[in-house]
Amino acid sequence: MHRLIRSLLVAVGLCVTSLCAAGLAAGSARAQIFHPTQFTLENGLQVVLIEDHRAPVVQHMIWYKVGAADEAPNVGGVAHYLEHLMFKGTPEIGPGDFSKIVAREGGRDNAFTTADYTAYHQLIASDRLPLVMKMEADRMTQLAPPADEAKRELQVVIEERLSRIDNNPGALFGEQFDAAQFLAHPYGRPVIGWPAVVRQLTLDDAMTFYRSYYAPNNAVLVVAGDVAPADLKRLAEKYYGLIPMRPIPPRSRVQEPPQLAARRLVMTDERVAEPSLRRSYLAPSRTAGRSEYATALSVLAEILNAPTGRLYKALVEGDGPAASASAWYSSLSLDQTTFGFGAVPKSGQSLDAVEQGLDAVLATLLKDGITDDELQQAKLVMKADTVYARDSLTGAAQLFGTAVCTGVSVEQVEAWPQQVAAVTAAQVLAAAQYVFDERRSVTGRLLPKHQS
């Protein structure tokens, strides 16, 4: 995802409110950045439109408020497996034909699954919007993958895991790291699932998940591009409005207990070319934990991770021990998230030196806070990012879908510049002191085999 969209994703909203079922005029009147329109159909489907009439193109996305963290442990990976099966046919559209039809009409389509949501999207000419809405509504209710197709697709998922995870030591390390960070919460399980569990998934498992969660009252329609609000409302009512709402199981997740001790792990692999360090701290999101710190943490991430920010100056520049160093924080998570760091040492330097350098950066931050210059520069960068964020149909649609599916309202997305502008240096320091507690940390090292 483009950096400016990532910046906006981590900077929206301060606290949780529900998405208002506002009328068209009311939705537009409060717009400040994207000028979104929002409404809710009688069956509970939430709709968000970001108009952009520069080209006759639309990005159409259906988001379901369910992801890998909502699975039962014995069917881990079923949300992602179902995502694959959604392309395997209905009584109206044959297996694999959905994407073929979109491509034939000059469009592109795909889907993705995360811990908190699953999304299906098509980028297509605006006069073909009724077609993709009709097909997406069809598979919302009429999914019927043949058993042989489902069996073959499970092998595709297994091969995907093999190529993306099992053959990638960095990805394997990431799984181990997440499992160390989240002892109880399902964020500690991989979205694609653990190998032994994935191999045992069945079509019945996927269809049970589908019938439980895929309903209009558990979905969000986000459209960005060349369509007027009244036209979108008419089309949404025509294609999605007749689908009946259904009872949805409550999102009942085991919450992470307080972390009382720092955790460390070391992984070695003969495929690793150079060692690396990773550190993360359990952190609040917009909707979980001490959410009042979320905006200040977003600003702090910009200060630390800027091209000439604190990490670069202390760890990389001049005689610093690291060849690269970065920080990351994403506040759009339904439950508690993490604030993380990563670094790779320069040739001849040790991971001990890199870790000591990172510790020194954090110690100085916790003692002295940030400067007014750092604060103002971070705000300027985050403000500039929003100027360009409007240019991406895909990025705009992804931003609003992610926000709404993690409990952040459209109004909060629009209001984030004011919230960032209001952040003070004292608030950033308070947020850092809360999050960067050694007891809440996990530190990991990924090493070549010969360094074990």
Side-chain angles (χ1 to χ4, degrees):
M1 193 187 306
H2 196 282
R3 179 183 179 276
L4 59 89
I5 297 298
R6 290 201 308 269
S7 177
L8 206 54
L9 283 173
V10 301
V12 293
L14 260 179
C15 57
V16 190
T17 63
S18 61
L19 179 65
C20 296
L24 302 184
S28 299
R30 288 189 294 270
Q32 299 172 6
I33 304 172
F34 293 90
H35 303 278
T37 296
Q38 57 177 320
F39 54 91
T40 301
L41 302 186
E42 290 185 4
N43 61 5
L45 179 70
Q46 297 174 278
V47 183
V48 180
L49 168 63
I50 306 99
E51 290 183 76
D52 189 330
H53 300 287
R54 293 172 300 170
V57 178
V58 291
Q59 177 76 59
H60 172 274
M61 302 190 77
I62 280 286
W63 299 69
Y64 293 97
K65 297 179 182 179
V66 63
D70 300 296
E71 303 162 341
N74 63 316
V75 290
V78 72
H80 175 251
Y81 179 37
L82 175 58
E83 175 210 312
H84 280 242
L85 293 182
M86 286 286 281
F87 294 88
K88 293 305 173 181
T90 72
E92 298 292 327
I93 302 173
D97 288 348
F98 190 107
S99 295
K100 292 178 182 177
I101 294 170
V102 173
R104 187 180 65 209
E105 297 295 333
R108 301 194 303 269
D109 77 314
N110 214 322
F112 56 88
T113 304
T114 74
D116 289 327
Y117 47 80
T118 309
Y120 302 84
H121 54 94
Q122 303 86 35
L123 183 66
I124 200 161
S126 52
D127 63 354
R128 299 296 190 270
L129 179 59
L131 173 65
V132 297
M133 293 179 78
K134 178 182 179 181
M135 293 196 302
E136 198 68 83
D138 177 50
R139 66 177 175 180
M140 182 184 285
T141 57
Q142 302 296 324
L143 183 65
D148 58 339
E149 288 282 347
K151 188 175 182 179
R152 280 194 292 269
E153 201 59 30
L154 182 61
Q155 292 305 308
V156 172
V157 172
I158 292 170
E159 288 298 320
E160 180 182 343
R161 185 188 157 92
L162 179 65
S163 63
R164 293 187 178 184
I165 307 296
D166 299 331
N167 288 337
N168 183 339
L172 286 172
F173 178 64
E175 284 189 339
Q176 298 299 308
F177 194 96
D178 290 342
Q181 181 75 79
F182 294 99
L183 297 183
H185 194 280
Y187 286 167
R189 301 197 306 257
V191 170
I192 200 169
W194 298 114
V197 180
V198 173
R199 286 194 292 268
Q200 297 178 17
L201 292 175
T202 67
L203 175 57
D204 285 344
D205 293 331
M207 293 306 295
T208 297
F209 198 79
Y210 171 77
R211 288 187 290 266
S212 297
Y213 295 104
Y214 278 45
N217 48 309
N218 199 42
V220 182
L221 168 64
V222 182
V223 178
D226 185 30
V227 60
D231 291 335
L232 180 62
K233 193 170 193 294
R234 174 179 54 80
L235 291 171
E237 289 175 339
K238 177 179 180 180
Y239 293 110
Y240 294 108
L242 298 180
I243 302 173
M245 65 170 59
R246 297 199 310 273
I248 303 298
R251 296 184 105 170
S252 180
R253 299 172 173 180
V254 175
Q255 294 302 301
E256 190 68 13
Q259 184 175 335
L260 305 178
R263 300 165 190 161
R264 299 185 70 89
L265 67 155
V266 176
M267 177 176 162
T268 61
D269 193 297
E270 61 188 7
R271 297 167 294 180
V272 174
E274 55 186 6
S276 61
L277 177 77
R278 181 170 172 177
R279 166 86 60 80
S280 74
Y281 297 82
L282 198 63
S285 69
R286 301 291 170 194
T287 54
R290 298 289 297 274
S291 59
E292 69 270 21
Y293 290 134
T295 302
L297 290 172
S298 298
V299 174
L300 177 57
E302 177 63 40
I303 290 171
L304 290 171
N305 202 43
T308 58
R310 287 201 178 193
L311 286 180
Y312 181 84
K313 289 179 178 178
L315 299 183
V316 179
E317 196 173 60
D319 295 331
S324 64
S326 60
W328 58 86
Y329 167 72
S330 177
S331 63
L332 293 183
S333 174
L334 193 63
D335 295 314
Q336 287 195 90
T337 183
T338 58
F339 197 116
F341 299 90
V344 174
K346 291 176 180 175
S347 178
Q349 292 281 358
S350 68
L351 281 182
D352 286 341
V354 173
E355 185 171 354
Q356 290 166 8
L358 175 59
D359 289 339
V361 170
L362 297 180
T364 299
L365 170 66
L366 296 178
K367 178 177 178 291
D368 300 329
I370 62 171
T371 68
D372 287 339
D373 285 346
E374 287 177 316
L375 180 62
Q376 295 309 316
Q377 181 61 31
K379 290 181 179 182
L380 285 174
V381 170
M382 296 170 80
K383 180 179 179 181
D385 283 347
T386 63
V387 175
Y388 300 105
R390 189 65 170 80
D391 291 338
S392 170
L393 294 185
T394 299
Q398 182 151 343
L399 168 61
F400 279 93
T402 302
V404 174
C405 286
T406 54
V408 176
S409 73
V410 168
E411 290 81 5
Q412 289 171 316
V413 176
E414 287 292 276
W416 88 267
Q418 290 84 1
Q419 295 164 352
V420 169
V423 170
T424 66
Q427 289 172 334
V428 172
L429 176 59
Q433 290 173 336
Y434 174 73
V435 171
F436 298 144
D437 181 338
E438 182 183 7
R439 295 170 299 176
R440 299 165 62 89
S441 70
V442 177
T443 303
R445 297 186 177 196
L446 179 60
L447 305 173
K449 193 71 172 179
H450 67 270
Q451 291 192 16
S452 62

